[in-house]
Amino acid sequence: MDVKRLLLLIPLAVLAYLIVVQWNQDYGQVAPEPEAPSFTSSSDNGQAQPADPDGLAVPAAPSAADDVSQAMPGSADSPTGSRDLIAVVTDVLDLRIDPQGGDIVYAALPQHRLTLNSDRPYVLLSDNETRSYVARSGLQLDGQAGRIAFTPERTEYRLAEDDSRLEVDLTAEVNGIDVIKRFSFERGSYAVDVHYYLANNTEEPVSARFIGQLARDNSPDPSSGVALGMSSFLGAAYSTPESRYEKVDFDDIQRGRFDNVDAQGGWVAIIQHYFVSAWAPPQNQQNLFYATTDSRNRNVAAFAGPVTTIAAEGEARLGATLFVGPKVQDYLEAVAPNLRLTVDFGWLWFIANPLFWLLDQIHSLIGNWGWSIVLLTIVVKLALWPLSAKAYKSMARMRKLGPEMQRLKEQYGDDRQKMSQEMMKFYQKEKINPLGGCLPILVQMPVFIALYWMLLESVELRHAPFMFWIQDLSVKDPFFILPILMGASMFVQQLLNPTPPDPMQAKIMRMLPIVFTFFFLWFPAGLVIYWVVNNIISIAQQYAITRKIENDPSVGKGMKTK
């Protein structure tokens, strides 16, 4: 490359870099989350509206259609008088509960910020113009023609500093049946126990059934990260003893392609990047899992518990556990079996899970996720060291014996069959594996992909700082310095590799550092740290092996065969 062309390319490269940085600043920000709703739920015309016009309809189960086909009518005809939302604040949850039905219509997570430099909490559940995503629960109760209008003791509850538990009771009386809907909260827990306590004061038995629903519109995932077309799943999921983890696309729900599932235990959830909401019914009862849409065209993932008959003057307790929070495996596993699988590491989960376990163990010792990734990379590299060494020896031999290989190509260039035979003899004689250079990449790719999904899905890395300008390992480097270092390390590695004999292949190989640098611009910083450290260790290993092979007089001794 002449000097004039180089002088032209340098300012163009700098200009392109500055354009990308400015574009990242202008368009790479997360849209602001709406404020928490006020205590009064009202429409644009000033009249209070029901949180949801739909009832908790339950589809008929194939084995018990008569028991579950009765739908609870919606609250569209309910009075629209003013009513207050109930505020509940713990150390990890900030909720709003609608007394009309007792649905959770807003959930913020004070321990997780909306953006890195924001003081506002991340909002998972909300019902506004930006997004409609709520956790509904109710009763299918004899004689009840709509959602139950509850009366709270007060409209604001807060977990005191010296308390470990908070209970919120909503009360109502329905046709002679005393109903208490109780929300129970534990300090440090994202799991909410939601239970109905029923006292049948009539002279006739009544039947009741608990229903838990998660309703979400088709708005995009506000916390999603995308790189090379790979993004976290946004949709519903459920678990049964027969199917530990099954995902259901919103498109399938919209098209009515989900078949009802009747199973013991299990759970149902709506999952997104980093966060999840899930209903986990008692694991010893038979539950009906279903998915549908409501009148607002929201996707509804739900379960219905068994029908319970309450004798005259009898009592009953019905309920389930609602999880609303980050996808931390320990938290999820404590709520229900297999709920931790919502931390979806993809089809290479059997590699990603041990990697995360090791990363977590390292972090517990040093307390910095960035340095934990560095040490994890070193451990992985040591595990692959023998295989990499074998490949680098083959590449070093090819590099040293390159002139002889070129001579054979020139000598038998017109006779491809003869040239192939001589080349194979040459490879065998000099103990060269022509595909040996590909082995390190082939072995590392499954580890790389598994690590990508592990870092992408691990909420522990969200807003986790490393050092200097890297203050969030879960997003791209804001100044793209790490991707540039990664590209430079790939270029140095190429200098140690044998030059491909085919000119076109050589040009393609020279372009790879540029192509990979471009792709890595939008990769999470944590993943690029892994790749940069891996390349640096590989360069040191390959350089030492190459020098050893080049100084070994036995390699290529008398290499001219004819």
Side-chain angles (χ1 to χ4, degrees), residues 448 480-493 512-521 523 527-533 535-536 539:
F448 171 77
F480 306 108
I481 296 174
L482 286 175
I484 293 174
L485 291 177
M486 190 279 304
S489 65
M490 285 192 67
F491 176 76
V492 173
Q493 272 191 300
L512 282 182
I514 299 176
V515 173
F516 271 74
T517 299
F518 177 78
F519 285 154
F520 273 69
L521 291 177
F523 270 45
L527 186 68
V528 186
I529 289 173
Y530 163 80
W531 204 253
V532 171
V533 175
N535 281 358
I536 292 174
I539 289 171

Side-chain angles (χ1 to χ4, degrees), residues 193-211:
D193 285 333
V194 182
H195 282 85
Y196 284 90
Y197 294 84
L198 307 175
N200 182 8
N201 299 319
T202 70
E203 297 180 356
E204 299 291 334
V206 295
S207 62
R209 186 179 202 181
F210 182 92
I211 301 166

Side-chain angles (χ1 to χ4, degrees), residues 2 46 49 62 67 70 114 123 130 145-146 167 172 231 235 275 321 335 355 370 376 395 432 440 457 486:
D2 55 41
Q49 298 293 327
D67 291 335
Q70 176 187 356
L114 175 62
V123 177
T130 303
E167 290 186 348
S231 60
F275 303 100
T321 299
V335 173
L355 287 175
L376 175 68
M395 294 170 66
I432 294 176
E457 277 288 287
M486 190 279 304

Side-chain angles (χ1 to χ4, degrees), residues 244-415:
R244 297 173 61 239
Y245 178 56
E246 292 291 336
K247 295 187 288 188
V248 183
D249 291 330
F250 282 162
D251 287 342
D252 290 336
I253 295 178
Q254 292 286 326
R255 296 170 185 173
R257 293 180 177 176
F258 182 81
D259 295 328
N260 302 338
V261 178
D262 199 0
Q264 181 173 331
W267 49 260
V268 64
I270 288 183
I271 59 179
Q272 64 182 63
H273 195 205
Y274 293 137
F275 303 100
V276 60
S277 64
W279 279 110
Q283 299 300 297
N284 60 351
Q285 74 180 28
Q286 200 73 10
N287 302 293
L288 174 68
F289 297 96
Y290 63 97
T292 184
T293 57
D294 59 21
S295 64
R296 295 171 61 178
N297 201 38
R298 295 182 298 187
N299 307 284
V300 178
F303 88 94
V307 176
T308 299
T309 300
I310 309 172
E313 304 300 328
E315 297 180 350
R317 178 179 181 269
L318 308 175
T321 299
L322 173 68
F323 183 90
V324 182
K327 293 194 289 188
V328 177
Q329 294 190 45
D330 291 342
Y331 297 167
L332 297 169
E333 191 65 23
V335 173
N338 301 319
L339 188 57
R340 64 178 176 80
L341 297 180
T342 56
V343 184
D344 193 349
F345 289 151
W347 60 278
L348 288 172
W349 56 268
F350 54 91
I351 299 177
N353 272 319
L355 287 175
F356 177 78
W357 178 87
L358 181 57
L359 180 67
D360 189 44
Q361 296 300 309
I362 296 173
H363 177 262
S364 66
L365 296 176
I366 65 176
N368 182 292
W369 288 106
W371 287 111
S372 299
I373 293 173
V374 172
L375 292 179
L376 175 68
T377 306
I378 295 174
V379 173
V380 172
K381 190 63 181 176
L382 290 175
L384 300 176
W385 189 276
L387 185 60
S388 298
K390 185 176 181 180
Y392 291 148
K393 288 178 182 178
S394 179
M395 294 170 66
R397 287 176 176 271
M398 291 183 67
R399 176 186 172 91
K400 183 174 183 179
L401 302 176
E404 175 62 12
M405 295 169 63
Q406 185 62 32
R407 188 189 67 80
L408 291 176
K409 289 180 179 294
E410 293 174 356
Q411 181 176 352
Y412 301 104
D414 297 333
D415 189 346

